Amino acid sequence: MILDDFLVRAALAGIGVALAAAPLGCFVVWRRMAYFGDATAHAAILGVALSLVLSTSIFAGVLVISLAMATIVSLLSGKGYAMDTLLGVMAHSALAFGLVAVSFVSGVRIDLMAYLFGDILAVGKADLAVIWTGTALVLGLMGWRWSNLLTATLNTDLAHASGIDPKREQLILTLSLAVVVAVALKVVGVLLIAALLIIPAAAARPFSRTPEAMALLAAAIGATAATGGLQAAYWLDTPTGPTIVSLAAILFALASLAGNARRKAWRAEPPR
């Protein structure tokens, strides 16, 4: 059976995470929420520790803690601290508490590197089912609320005038982000999840005339980085998660150069 090949499972896992991260990553870029993604992702280690202590599913533990972290950050925003300060404190505190909590788990051998940087080559059929279920959930949520999310992102006053509750749309983004963090843990690890969210969306931005085009292009760039990084890691014998993100960064650099060249060409054209 084709899914018995570990490279096929790894490729499908990478593509699934890329598809889930693409539309959400666009909103992270538009809303300038990069640190928000970081804080939620770093909390995942605490979720891993909780799952091991309670002998429950790693996915469930990470999902609950990531959602809790995202909700706490949303509630504390605007309460006297600058957002970047609050997110910086929450992100690094969550990671530190998670690593300390993991050290107290006895009787279980824990590969911290796999959780920090991912272990996509160890993805099994059950993991694949979880990843694609999470991807379907995120894509369904994004498709259902796309217009409302865009309106709330562009202008909160316009959203209120249209009968849209920006707080509710923020909650939907929060839920989606927690799901993406939970499904991406196995692929790129907690330290690189934010990069997989932001880099493909940022690379797609110079070539996109509409939000929908940016989301689709970000998905294509993310999938290319996932499959290409997997192949490169296999050939070069390098860590897979970091190699995927490195390829995404190269694609971003190329997209930036191409975007700058195109803008210069437009400016150099004589007026008609």
Side-chain angles (χ1 to χ4, degrees):
M1 188 175 176
I2 191 169
L3 290 181
D4 290 333
D5 188 329
F6 75 97
L7 282 177
V8 172
R9 293 196 303 270
L12 289 173
I15 292 170
V17 170
L19 292 179
L24 190 58
C26 291
F27 283 104
V28 169
V29 169
W30 294 330
R31 288 173 173 246
R32 300 179 181 177
M33 292 168 55
Y35 261 129
F36 190 84
D38 245 356
T40 308
H42 286 182
I45 284 292
L46 194 55
V48 170
L50 181 66
S51 299
L52 293 173
V53 168
L54 299 178
S55 300
T56 60
S57 161
I58 296 291
F59 174 80
V62 170
L63 180 61
V64 168
I65 295 298
S66 297
L67 184 56
M69 173 61 72
T71 303
I72 289 169
V73 170
S74 295
L75 292 175
L76 290 180
S77 61
K79 302 291 185 183
Y81 291 99
M83 181 57 86
D84 59 343
T85 301
L86 178 63
L87 290 172
V89 170
M90 296 294 285
H92 299 299
S93 299
L95 181 59
F97 278 117
L99 292 174
V100 170
V102 165
S103 71
F104 285 112
V105 179
S106 59
V108 180
R109 184 180 176 132
I110 302 168
D111 184 3
L112 269 181
M113 292 295 287
Y115 292 120
L116 292 175
F117 298 105
D119 190 11
I120 190 173
L121 296 180
V123 167
K125 294 178 183 177
D127 297 317
L128 208 53
V130 168
I131 288 171
W132 277 94
T133 300
T135 297
L137 176 61
V138 170
L139 292 178
L141 276 173
M142 291 292 101
W144 175 43
R145 307 301 298 180
W146 183 261
S147 179
N148 289 355
L149 283 167
L150 274 179
T151 304
T153 297
L154 292 172
N155 191 309
T156 54
D157 292 332
L158 178 60
H160 283 299
S162 303
I164 298 168
D165 183 0
K167 288 288 186 183
R168 182 183 60 206
E169 305 310 317
Q170 174 71 33
L171 183 62
I172 289 170
L173 278 180
T174 297
L175 173 63
S176 301
L177 183 61
V179 172
V180 168
V181 167
V183 300
L185 180 68
K186 193 87 171 181
V187 176
V188 289
V190 299
L191 296 184
L192 301 175
I193 290 171
L196 201 61
L197 276 168
I198 297 163
I199 295 176
R205 195 170 193 173
F207 303 99
S208 306
R209 293 183 178 273
T210 65
E212 293 79 10
M214 181 170 163
L216 290 173
L217 186 54
I221 292 171
T224 300
T227 53
L230 179 63
Q231 284 291 341
Y234 185 70
W235 291 333
L236 301 174
D237 194 24
T238 53
T240 312
T243 305
I244 289 172
V245 175
S246 296
L247 181 55
I250 292 171
L251 294 175
F252 169 73
L254 294 174
S256 299
L257 290 173
N260 289 335
R262 191 167 67 167
R263 281 192 293 271
K264 288 179 181 177
W266 283 343
R267 291 193 193 105
E269 286 182 3
R272 296 179 182 176

